[in-house]
């Protein structure tokens, strides 16, 4: 995450960088929580999606989730980190945040690729 965002910021220093990130698995988020808190420093805006859980795979109960990550990062950035719960909410958040010239990077290991495809296909027909 850090390397990708740093690379994009270096390549496009005059553009705002908006990162949409979907954590993958609660246990991984719990184990790497401190690293995740610091991973998004090069993003001008961060939008977190709910933690993706793998169907059929049991995960231990934990209070660590995307909401907690959003709250901790927001205190460091002194601004809200949106946490849209579905594609419709994500589209609305992006519509409110995006400005001409922004770079948007969508990252994660869950179904974020499906959301990305749907956003692109919808926006080819509907101006965001």
């Amino acid at each position: 995450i850090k390397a990708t965002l740093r690379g994009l910021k270096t390549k496009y220093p005059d553009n705002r960088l908006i990162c949409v990130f979907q954590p993958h698995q609660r246990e991984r988020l719990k184990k790497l929580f401190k690293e995740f808190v610091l991973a998004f420093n090069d993003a001008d805006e961060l939008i977190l999606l709910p933690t993706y859980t793998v169907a059929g795979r049991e995960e231990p109960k934990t209070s660590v989730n995307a909401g907690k990550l959003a709250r901790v990062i927001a205190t460091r950035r002194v601004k809200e980190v949106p946490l849209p719960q579905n594609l419709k909410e994500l589209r609305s958040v992006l519509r409110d945040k995006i400005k001409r010239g922004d770079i948007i990077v969508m990252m994660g290991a869950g179904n974020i690729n499906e959301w990305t495809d749907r956003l692109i296909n919808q926006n080819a027909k509907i101006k965001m």
Side-chain angles (χ1 to χ4, degrees), residues 108-123:
N111 61 349
I112 192 168
N113 62 321
E114 295 167 17
W115 286 30
T116 304
D117 289 343
R118 290 175 65 191
L119 281 171
I120 291 169
N121 290 331
Q122 288 174 359
N123 293 322

Side-chain angles (χ1 to χ4, degrees), residues 20-22 47-52 66 82-95 106 111-112 114-116 118-119 122 128:
V20 179
F21 180 72
Q22 179 185 47
I47 301 166
L48 290 174
L49 300 179
T51 307
Y52 183 79
L83 188 64
Q85 297 298 301
N86 55 49
L87 186 61
K88 183 178 178 181
E89 288 180 18
L90 174 58
R91 188 166 191 269
S92 178
V93 169
L94 286 172
R95 189 181 309 115
M106 297 186 64
N111 61 349
I112 192 168
E114 295 167 17
W115 286 30
T116 304
R118 290 175 65 191
L119 281 171
Q122 288 174 359
M128 188 177 266

Side-chain angles (χ1 to χ4, degrees), residues 5 22 26 35 52 56 72 101 125:
L5 297 177
Q22 179 185 47
R26 291 185 303 257
E35 290 83 356
Y52 183 79
V72 172
K125 299 173 190 165

Side-chain angles (χ1 to χ4, degrees), residues 46-102:
L46 174 62
I47 301 166
L48 290 174
L49 300 179
T51 307
Y52 183 79
T53 55
V54 179
R57 186 181 296 174
E58 272 191 49
E59 292 192 42
K61 296 290 182 200
T62 176
S63 62
V64 176
N65 57 32
K68 181 174 181 178
L69 182 61
R71 287 188 300 277
V72 172
I73 291 174
T75 61
R76 294 184 74 247
R77 291 174 164 253
V78 194
K79 64 176 162 181
E80 177 191 10
V81 176
L83 188 64
Q85 297 298 301
N86 55 49
L87 186 61
K88 183 178 178 181
E89 288 180 18
L90 174 58
R91 188 166 191 269
S92 178
V93 169
L94 286 172
R95 189 181 309 115
D96 291 344
K97 289 197 173 291
I98 293 175
K99 298 176 184 159
R100 184 177 285 299
D102 287 350

Side-chain angles (χ1 to χ4, degrees), residues 5-25:
L5 297 177
R6 170 57 50 178
L8 286 167
K9 202 62 175 170
T10 300
K11 176 120 174 118
Y12 304 101
D14 299 327
N15 300 77
R16 276 187 344 138
L17 179 58
I18 299 173
C19 179
V20 179
F21 180 72
Q22 179 185 47
H24 186 257
Q25 298 181 308

